[in-house]
Amino acid sequence: MKKHRNIKRRSFLKASGAASATALGGCQKIKNVNKGIHEFLNRFEEVPVPHGIETWKTTTCNLCSSSCGIRARTIDGRLVSIEGNSAHPVNRGGICPRGVNGLHILYNPNRLSGPMKKTGSGDSSKWERISWDDAMKAVTGNLKSLRTQSPQSLMFLHGKPSTSLEVSFADRFMQAYGSPNYICYMDGHDYYDSSMLDAIYLMQGINAAPSYDIGNSNFVLSFNTDIFESHENLMQSLKAYGQAHSERPSGRCRFVHVGPRLSASASTADKWIPVRPGTEGVLALGVAHVIIREDLYDYNFVNINCSGFEDRTDESGKTERGFKSVVMSEYAPSDVSNMTGVKVEEIIRLARDFASSRPALAVGNRTQTRIQLAVHSLNALLGSINTKGGILFPPDIVLKKEGEKSSSIYGENNTDFLSKIISSPESPVKALFIKNANPIYSSLESALWRKALDKIPFKVSFSGIMDETSSLCDMILPDCTYLEKWNGSAVATSEGYQVFSISRPVVEPVVECKASEDVLLNIASGLSPEVAINFHWKSFSDYVELAIEGLFEAGRGSRLGEEFEGTWVRLLEKAGWRIPSEGGLDEFKKTIIDAGGWWDPIYYYGELSRVILKPTGKFELMPAIKSMTNYSFPELTETDETREQYFALHVSKPASLAALTNPNSPWMLDNITSVLTDRWNTWIEINEEIAKKLGFKRGDEVIVESDKGKIRAEVTPTKSIHPEFVSIPAGMGHVIPGEWSNGIGSNAADIMSAVRDPVTGIFLADKTKVKIYKA
Ligand code: SF4
């Protein structure tokens, strides 16, 4: 904040002038920070400070998939603060800036005041505020007639996929309606979250998100993962890091970060090893080479539980080289050093330290399956699969859902439906529900999305705020925020055990919103008796309570905050006993809701038959090798004629910005930009020496150009980035009428190349090359 008070008006005007002179994607605004935040705070000056009855309620933050427990303080029904819930095992009282910002999301003056309907078309279209009754009649009528003709032509695009009940409820709606087209969608800024899942599936055959047991590990080797920035389990990782660095009987954990940039995660580490962009997987296999050569691997685990380690000869006499042969012949430290830029001695020392500090854990970069596969092979070599201090696979929680099965299609790997919609004379999708997703802003294929949306006759958005995608819809039914509605999320802790975390309304809705689940329930009851029968509840809160019944019937675990004598509870539970701390079902539900959730703090290590589901029953090592073969690393050349330097582009996900498809919050913008720039603007981190060579100084406005497009950014020279690498943040550059988001900074997705991995279909993050020149 201090820096902003020193902002020079001249430099602000100069920047503004430069911005208005450009033709890049419309007019870009660079906002004076103090002005923006004061505008926001002034809105509250007329609101008297409440003096009245104070209440505290436990609930869950739903702003990312961590699902931290929070406590909401209200005075006379008005929310005045949000704190972490110290009894919640996910965050133990901690809360990140995004979580605190919930207050600003709730009271954001740009929230839609109620349902909106678009009238007219093209340039003459305008939005009209309508009543909920009229909105429900219009949507139900439309869907009713569509269902009699082609129910499958209703599509539901649900962003922020998670294990929460809102997802299973929407899936249930689509199944009852008769459409298989329920798509859980991760967009351009979240696409990389699935690369770890793909790697685990290819090597272990299990479709499950892992937990990293950092708190019990002796050595965490991170290959450019943003574990302490925007990882899906941010607060848990931070909590586990504190535990790992405390005085433990096993000693302090060492944390080494490998990557081309001194990120927030790298700066938390005991050591940062800079590496050429995109070569983290090569370094992982170089570490594997030393571990095998020096016989430091877990011989028993590899021989009994892994497949593909040794060469194998098939019945026809043909020999296939195994993991060991390939790693020993192609990933010698000298070769790896040439590719990665890491010194030979450093590679050898790293491998020895890592292998001799078991339990040790390798955590991969979330951007690429190729890197994840190489990194995960290290976990197998050290036998860190489902062991304390290793990588864990939480079992499912038993929630009661009345015969539901998941039918979700995961959309980020397969957006073929876009081309189908565009190329068919008549769109096969006739109606679209879109929730928690803003692909026009964040997809790397936003142009395709725009064309596809144009062809879909009836589009309904559940966005609570006008964003780039909802502005192209026909109707907006604003969802309530997580502080005004019910939900429940199954979430795993870093120690592997399961938590069911409950959200409930802590205030009355601030605007005329409705929980989207209650809207679906309402629509279902108006469609037909056979649809309605699947939605016999009065409201979504009954569905949440039904889920809790499953926990009661399972006879395990207890309300949050209740500590266990772990060992004897484990023995009793194994023998089929339950520790009843509550009376009947009703009391159980009330206790669980008041406490903010339920947990089962027992985790069973080992159980390899549960976590390795390949047909062979073995952990497959060869995918790590195959994915690396024939992979072309981005060429970074200096063109002689133009003397233009090309860089590998990295797009960071600052915790404060990236999770917000529409940030529109001055406090969040201030929170992140105050570290690196004077203004609310997109910055570009460039190696200090390179910036000097190119004649750039701090604060210069530059054009960052890829083969897809160009954006503007503000130069931030730094020693902490590899010379071949530049980094910009995701989350700015919106072009919709949000006072604190519209036109501020640039949208990284506008220059990110949409190149997909041919095997997994996910976008390859290291395929964007950019050049930079003065604006
Ligand atoms: S880590 Fe996620 S769930 Fe936890 S407080 Fe932050 S935004 Fe909320």
Side-chain angles (χ1 to χ4, degrees):
M1 286 293 285
K2 251 190 229 151
K3 272 187 193 165
H4 306 143
R5 299 212 169 91
N6 292 335
I7 188 168
K8 289 193 178 86
R9 179 164 167 74
R10 221 171 61 188
S11 62
F12 170 61
L13 290 176
K14 191 175 152 198
S16 305
S20 60
T22 182
L24 297 176
C27 174
Q28 186 191 37
K29 193 161 72 186
I30 298 174
K31 196 149 187 165
N32 179 314
V33 175
N34 283 326
K35 186 168 173 280
I37 202 155
H38 287 152
E39 274 172 9
F40 184 84
L41 294 173
N42 283 344
R43 302 291 175 93
F44 299 99
E45 275 180 4
E46 294 135 35
V47 183
V49 176
H51 297 284
I53 297 168
E54 180 190 43
T55 59
W56 287 88
K57 272 190 182 172
T58 52
T59 185
T60 299
C61 176
N62 278 192
L63 294 174
C64 83
S65 54
S66 285
S67 300
C68 295
I70 51 173
R71 296 174 71 231
R73 179 175 175 237
T74 61
I75 295 182
D76 274 353
R78 195 170 133 208
L79 185 67
V80 293
S81 69
I82 297 174
E83 294 181 1
N85 176 3
S86 57
H88 200 288
V90 164
N91 54 318
R92 289 285 180 206
I95 187 169
C96 81
R98 256 185 284 167
V100 177
N101 193 55
L103 206 63
H104 290 222
I105 291 172
L106 179 70
Y107 292 118
N108 194 309
N110 291 148
R111 280 183 73 182
L112 294 171
S113 61
M116 306 289 289
K117 183 181 165 195
K118 195 184 265 176
T119 56
S121 60
D123 291 344
S124 57
S125 68
K126 54 180 199 268
W127 286 98
E128 185 186 295
R129 174 78 161 77
I130 56 171
S131 70
W132 273 105
D133 274 355
D134 288 348
M136 294 311 295
K137 266 186 217 146
V139 176
T140 309
N142 213 314
L143 292 197
K144 205 169 176 177
S145 78
L146 183 66
R147 190 165 178 270
T148 56
Q149 298 149 25
S150 56
Q152 73 285 359
S153 56
L154 171 65
M155 178 184 272
F156 197 134
L157 191 78
H158 201 154
K160 244 183 29 177
S162 67
T163 49
S164 70
L165 294 179
E166 61 176 332
V167 170
S168 57
F169 196 77
D171 195 351
R172 181 185 185 94
F173 174 87
M174 291 298 280
Q175 287 178 46
Y177 187 84
S179 173
N181 294 313
Y182 176 61
I183 297 183
C184 275
Y185 173 74
M186 285 191 244
D187 61 25
H189 295 158
D190 286 332
Y191 63 93
Y192 36 88
D193 289 344
S194 72
S195 65
M196 185 65 202
L197 303 185
D198 288 335
I200 286 173
Y201 185 74
L202 289 169
M203 297 178 116
Q204 294 180 222
I206 182 170
N207 210 343
S211 286
Y212 300 106
D213 193 6
I214 294 170
N216 289 308
S217 190
N218 286 338
F219 198 115
V220 176
L221 178 51
S222 157
F223 287 87
N224 201 19
T225 188
D226 51 356
I227 198 157
F228 302 125
E229 277 164 279
S230 52
H231 205 262
E232 63 264 32
N233 290 327
L234 174 65
M235 289 312 297
Q236 289 198 50
S237 302
L238 290 169
K239 175 178 67 95
Y241 180 78
Q243 184 187 336
H245 276 70
S246 61
E247 291 305 319
R248 307 176 304 176
S250 56
R252 205 169 157 273
C253 171
R254 282 193 66 204
F255 177 44
V256 173
H257 182 97
V258 169
R261 172 174 171 257
L262 185 66
S263 60
S265 300
S267 57
T268 318
D270 297 297
K271 184 167 194 173
W272 170 46
I273 301 180
V275 63
R276 280 194 68 211
T279 62
E280 295 92 339
V282 176
L283 184 65
L285 294 181
V287 169
H289 176 107
V290 178
I291 289 174
I292 295 170
R293 187 180 73 192
E294 301 192 3
D295 239 357
L296 299 173
Y297 64 95
D298 185 328
Y299 187 83
N300 276 341
F301 186 88
V302 170
N303 278 289
I304 297 169
N305 300 307
C306 292
S307 155
F309 186 68
E310 302 287 354
D311 296 350
R312 62 180 151 210
T313 307
D314 67 17
E315 284 160 4
S316 67
K318 197 171 148 218
T319 300
E320 190 192 356
R321 292 170 77 207
F323 181 86
K324 183 165 96 177
S325 295
V326 178
V327 165
M328 294 314 289
S329 63
E330 293 174 23
Y331 293 92
S334 52
D335 298 329
V336 169
S337 176
N338 285 339
M339 290 180 79
T340 61
V342 181
K343 288 186 181 144
V344 169
E345 318 78 82
E346 183 91 83
I347 298 169
I348 295 172
R349 198 179 319 121
L350 176 64
R352 287 176 183 162
D353 288 351
F354 179 57
S356 60
S357 310
R358 288 187 237 167
L361 178 60
V363 186
N365 179 323
R366 293 189 298 154
T367 57
Q368 293 170 62
T369 307
R370 177 179 58 82
I371 295 174
Q372 291 281 11
L373 289 164
V375 170
H376 196 37
S377 71
L378 293 176
N379 289 321
L381 287 183
L382 296 195
S384 297
I385 308 297
N386 220 29
T387 54
K388 191 169 185 175
I391 184 162
L392 308 177
F393 299 89
D396 287 339
I397 290 184
V398 190
L399 299 172
K400 197 163 174 181
K401 289 188 185 166
E402 288 191 353
E404 273 168 26
K405 22 178 218 255
S406 167
S407 66
S408 321
I409 301 167
Y410 278 80
E412 103 282 14
N413 287 0
N414 178 5
T415 45
D416 289 351
F417 59 85
L418 290 180
S419 351
K420 276 191 198 129
I421 294 170
I422 295 164
S423 61
S424 310
E426 205 179 295
S427 168
V429 177
K430 303 277 187 273
L432 174 72
F433 279 158
I434 186 157
K435 180 180 165 186
N436 290 339
N438 185 5
I440 296 293
Y441 166 74
S442 54
S443 170
L444 304 190
E445 296 171 325
S446 65
L448 288 184
W449 274 102
R450 195 173 283 277
K451 281 188 193 155
L453 288 188
D454 207 34
K455 290 192 73 175
I456 299 173
F458 187 56
K459 303 168 285 284
V460 178
S461 163
F462 290 106
S463 179
I465 200 157
M466 190 70 77
D467 62 28
E468 286 83 351
T469 305
S470 56
S471 66
L472 299 180
C473 290
D474 302 288
M475 200 169 272
I476 306 178
L477 308 179
D479 200 354
C480 292
T481 69
Y482 64 99
L483 296 161
E484 301 160 309
K485 63 185 261 189
W486 287 87
N487 199 3
S489 307
V491 47
T493 63
S494 56
E495 294 98 335
Y497 53 79
Q498 287 282 22
V499 177
F500 182 63
S501 201
I502 294 169
S503 305
R504 57 174 162 166
V506 295
V507 287
E508 289 297 318
V510 170
V511 294
E512 276 187 50
C513 58
K514 264 193 205 304
S516 53
E517 297 73 29
D518 287 332
V519 170
L520 291 179
L521 204 151
N522 205 312
I523 294 171
S525 59
L527 285 174
S528 75
E530 79 265 20
V531 176
I533 203 164
N534 290 287
F535 292 86
H536 53 83
W537 305 284
K538 279 205 193 85
S539 77
F540 181 60
S541 60
D542 296 337
Y543 182 78
V544 176
E545 287 199 23
L546 176 76
I548 298 174
E549 279 180 36
L551 303 173
F552 182 77
E553 286 164 12
R556 305 176 62 87
S558 186
R559 67 176 167 83
L560 297 183
E562 194 159 77
E563 302 293 339
F564 289 85
E565 290 291 336
T567 311
W568 73 269
V569 170
R570 183 191 310 228
L571 288 171
L572 286 171
E573 282 185 347
K574 265 206 154 172
W577 289 68
R578 175 162 189 270
I579 311 299
S581 54
E582 291 83 25
L585 176 60
D586 287 344
E587 194 184 333
F588 179 82
K589 282 185 195 166
K590 183 176 180 321
T591 316
I592 298 290
I593 291 169
D594 285 346
W598 166 100
W599 69 329
D600 181 2
I602 311 295
Y603 188 80
Y604 297 102
Y605 302 109
E607 293 194 334
L608 293 180
S609 58
R610 178 176 68 80
V611 304
I612 301 178
L613 300 180
K614 296 297 277 187
T616 55
K618 310 258 183 189
F619 186 107
E620 304 276 352
L621 283 164
M622 282 311 283
I625 297 297
K626 287 183 179 156
S627 71
M628 211 61 92
T629 311
N630 299 329
Y631 184 82
S632 59
F633 292 95
E635 285 166 32
L636 303 162
T637 52
E638 197 173 347
T639 314
D640 279 344
E641 293 142 46
T642 58
R643 307 300 300 166
E644 279 172 343
Q645 174 84 46
Y646 285 84
F647 301 89
L649 177 72
H650 170 254
V651 176
S652 65
K653 275 178 78 178
S656 308
L657 285 175
L660 307 169
T661 36
N662 178 1
N664 202 23
S665 159
W667 189 75
M668 292 300 276
L669 280 164
D670 214 33
N671 196 292
I672 181 67
T673 53
S674 63
V675 181
L676 289 165
T677 73
D678 285 347
R679 297 164 296 202
W680 291 349
N681 194 12
T682 294
W683 66 90
I684 179 162
E685 293 165 48
I686 307 180
N687 180 277
E688 209 172 69
E689 290 300 313
I690 299 290
K692 205 166 154 194
K693 190 177 124 192
L694 297 176
F696 300 151
K697 50 184 194 317
R698 186 181 169 86
D700 279 352
E701 285 284 312
V702 291
I703 305 293
V704 188
E705 181 177 340
S706 71
D707 57 4
K708 183 176 173 191
K710 40 187 163 177
I711 59 170
R712 303 175 74 98
E714 183 176 319
V715 170
T716 300
T718 170
K719 285 191 180 78
S720 313
I721 194 162
H722 195 281
E724 295 171 359
F725 204 47
V726 290
S727 179
I728 57 173
M732 287 194 238
H734 283 273
V735 290
I736 31 82
E739 284 171 60
W740 298 285
S741 57
N742 182 17
I744 292 173
S746 301
N747 184 358
D750 289 348
I751 54 168
M752 291 171 77
S753 304
V755 180
R756 289 179 184 275
D757 184 314
V759 180
T760 60
I762 70 167
F763 290 117
L764 288 169
D766 70 348
K767 287 294 184 189
T768 305
K769 276 195 305 181
V770 292
K771 62 179 178 181
I772 302 161
Y773 48 91
K774 277 200 176 152

